[in-house]
Amino acid sequence: MNYRHAYHAGNHTEVFKHAILVMLLEHLTQKMQPFMVLDTHAGVGLYDLESEQAQRTGEKVDGVEKIYDVGIPSCQRYFDIIKSINPGKLRHYPGSPEISRHMLRPTDRLIACELHPDDYLELENRYRFDRRVTVQNRSGYDAINALLPPVERRGLVFVDPPFEQKDEVQSMISALKKGLRKWSTGIFCFWYPIKDSKIGDALADAVVSAQYPKALRIEFLPFKKDGMNLAGSGIIICNTPWKMDEKAKLLCRDIAPKLGDGRGTWSIKWLTEEREPQ
Ligand code: SAM
């Protein structure tokens, strides 16, 4: 395992991905009933943007640094979380478990899986004091099989792998299949990088051919696709909350002139039918 997320914290894909995560969590907090979040690939939870790794890539420059002074009106809560961990100038960036933790109420739960032994220890140490959070040193794909459905019967599975393995897409497809079989009403959110269209198309084809419920594909690209460099990223959601497409559109409109070189493009497509809530 060579991938270390500290090199990429706060880049443009993170802003897009984490704003969507916040929107999904906002949906879950609209009802009183508790929910559970399973973060299958958690990372270390909090990143120092002045660390040697972060400075080596400087990826925050096209990402969080571009929004830090101007905000994101379409997803104020995400912006508030970033501000709350940075009392003055931008120094730290929250990972997905930290963002979820900020949104949990006393009865909600987060299970965060991290396979890298050092990152697991750091994450475990960070959340030792918070009884709502459980950190597990296991594969997030195994956790989908072992831990679903949650007792709460409401919640989100957030899948954000490093794409180090050649068969990552296959692992995601089979995790989604198992996950939905065990928990047909859970919200499943899968992130993927975009250099070309291959990964997104393979995931979308699997979702369409299995006709998974209420599946939305959102892609945001601050840069032009050239097949080689990271142009942007995509997210596929199953059991997508009502009106998520409209919220995602507002987000993309908001961040397109801010991230990267300010000429971002996006697409938002229903892969399978959206239904009104009963
Ligand atoms: N979700 C995090 C966030 O938004 O802040 C970033 C996650 S990073 C893209 C992927 C993480 O997954 C890395 O920390 C890596 O060590 C870990 N990892 C790789 N394979 C894994 C697996 N099968 N199960 C759990 N974690 C894994």
Side-chain angles (χ1 to χ4, degrees):
M1 295 181 71
N2 293 317
Y3 180 92
R4 309 310 296 274
H5 194 64
Y7 289 97
H8 311 293
N11 72 13
H12 58 81
T13 71
E14 297 255 284
V15 174
F16 166 66
K17 164 176 76 185
H18 291 150
I20 295 284
L21 171 62
V22 167
M23 287 174 166
L24 294 172
L25 293 166
E26 278 178 330
H27 163 79
L28 287 167
T29 54
Q30 275 167 14
K31 283 195 182 155
M32 295 259 293
Q33 292 98 321
F35 64 83
M36 190 262 335
V37 178
L38 173 58
D39 189 335
T40 58
H41 296 71
V44 300
L46 193 68
Y47 299 89
D48 181 354
L49 296 173
E50 289 179 14
S51 69
E52 198 214 318
Q53 292 118 307
Q55 290 201 330
R56 198 175 311 165
T57 55
E59 292 191 16
K60 69 171 182 184
V61 172
D62 283 320
V64 64
E65 206 167 79
K66 288 258 160 82
I67 54 125
Y68 192 70
D69 292 324
V70 293
I72 298 195
S74 57
C75 195
Q76 185 63 36
R77 186 75 193 270
Y78 163 69
F79 189 66
D80 291 345
I81 294 170
I82 296 178
K83 284 284 179 185
S84 74
I85 60 166
N86 289 290
K89 75 181 186 75
L90 176 64
R91 168 86 197 246
H92 293 104
Y93 187 78
S96 52
E98 181 67 13
I99 287 172
S100 295
R101 210 176 65 80
H102 274 260
M103 310 259 319
L104 297 181
R105 301 160 303 179
T107 51
D108 301 325
R109 286 191 299 145
L110 165 66
I111 301 175
C113 299
E114 173 52 52
L115 205 52
H116 194 292
D118 297 344
D119 289 357
Y120 158 73
L121 282 178
E122 190 175 336
L123 189 65
E124 222 278 318
N125 241 353
R126 175 158 290 126
Y127 297 137
R128 196 174 286 257
F129 69 93
D130 192 332
R131 294 176 57 189
R132 301 167 305 170
V133 182
T134 310
V135 177
Q136 300 193 352
N137 186 207
R138 74 189 309 178
S139 167
Y141 297 127
D142 293 346
I144 286 181
N145 206 26
L147 305 179
L148 300 185
V151 285
E152 295 86 351
R153 299 274 164 173
R154 299 184 67 230
L156 166 69
V157 179
F158 187 70
V159 182
D160 177 21
F163 289 86
E164 251 187 333
Q165 308 292 335
K166 279 214 163 73
D167 61 353
E168 196 79 72
V169 171
Q170 219 32 60
S171 302
M172 292 170 92
I173 292 171
S174 96
L176 183 59
K177 186 174 174 187
K178 279 187 199 141
L180 277 167
R181 198 184 298 144
K182 298 193 80 169
W183 188 22
S184 62
T185 55
I187 302 171
F188 289 78
C189 177
F190 285 68
W191 177 90
Y192 57 90
I194 301 178
K195 291 181 182 172
D196 54 36
S197 303
K198 283 185 199 145
I199 296 176
D201 286 352
L203 287 171
D205 287 351
V207 167
V208 171
S209 67
Q211 281 296 295
Y212 290 138
K214 291 182 262 178
L216 185 69
R217 179 180 184 179
I218 313 165
E219 295 195 336
F220 178 75
L221 295 98
F223 299 105
K224 275 218 158 63
K225 241 189 282 185
D226 64 5
M228 308 255 294
N229 299 297
L230 186 68
S233 62
I235 279 176
I236 290 180
I237 308 169
C238 292
N239 287 318
T240 306
W242 180 235
K243 292 199 186 290
M244 188 66 201
D245 54 342
E246 290 171 25
K247 291 179 187 167
K249 190 167 160 188
L250 291 177
L251 172 71
C252 291
R253 261 196 208 149
D254 190 353
I255 60 180
K258 295 173 181 162
L259 299 183
D261 60 10
R263 284 179 291 178
T265 58
W266 68 88
S267 75
I268 300 169
K269 283 185 202 141
W270 285 103
L271 297 175
T272 57
E273 191 193 349
E274 187 197 25
R275 280 173 245 134
E276 280 193 47
Q278 304 295 309

